[in-house]
Amino acid sequence: MGTLTAGILMMRWELLSAFLMFCTSQLNIVCRQSSRNTMAFVCSGIGLTVTCFFVMSLMGMSYNAVAIAQFWANTKDVFFDVMSKTPTDMSYYY
C-alpha cells in the first residue's frame, strides 16, 4: 500500500495533466457540437498547454525563465538565418 501511495504522489502532476487533457478534449467536442467555437478554441489552447506540460514533465525537462529566453533567442537566430538565405525573387503560390 505504501508503494502505491508513493507512486501516486510522485505521479500526481502527470496524472493531473492526463486528466485535464481528457477533460479539455471532451469539452472541445461538446463545444464544437453546440457551435460554441470560441469556447472550443479556448479548450483547445488549454489542452495544448497541458499537453506540453505533460510531455515536458515526463521527459524530465525543466523550464524556467532563462531556458525560455534562450529558446526564443535561438529561434530568432535560426529564423533570421533561414530568411537571409531565401532568394528575394522567390515566387509564392497562393
Side-chain angles (χ1 to χ4, degrees):
M1 194 65 170
T3 305
L4 183 63
T5 304
I8 289 174
L9 285 175
M10 291 184 69
M11 289 291 293
R12 67 186 179 272
W13 298 118
E14 287 82 5
L15 291 172
L16 179 65
S17 297
F19 178 72
L20 285 175
M21 284 189 295
F22 174 76
C23 288
T24 56
S25 175
Q26 294 301 315
L27 281 173
N28 188 8
I29 293 168
V30 168
C31 290
R32 294 244 184 245
Q33 288 175 346
S34 63
S35 297
R36 295 181 179 154
N37 294 331
T38 305
M39 283 301 295
F41 180 76
V42 169
C43 289
S44 295
I46 292 171
L48 181 64
T49 304
V50 171
T51 303
C52 291
F53 175 76
F54 178 72
V55 170
M56 288 179 69
S57 63
L58 282 180
M59 293 178 70
M61 297 170 64
S62 63
Y63 45 94
N64 52 23
V66 175
I68 292 170
Q70 183 180 7
F71 170 78
W72 284 115
N74 189 20
T75 303
K76 183 186 75 163
D77 292 340
V78 169
F79 175 77
F80 286 125
D81 183 47
V82 168
M83 292 305 290
S84 69
K85 293 177 183 176
T86 58
T88 56
D89 58 347
M90 185 173 168
S91 61
Y92 295 102
Y93 299 105
Y94 292 104

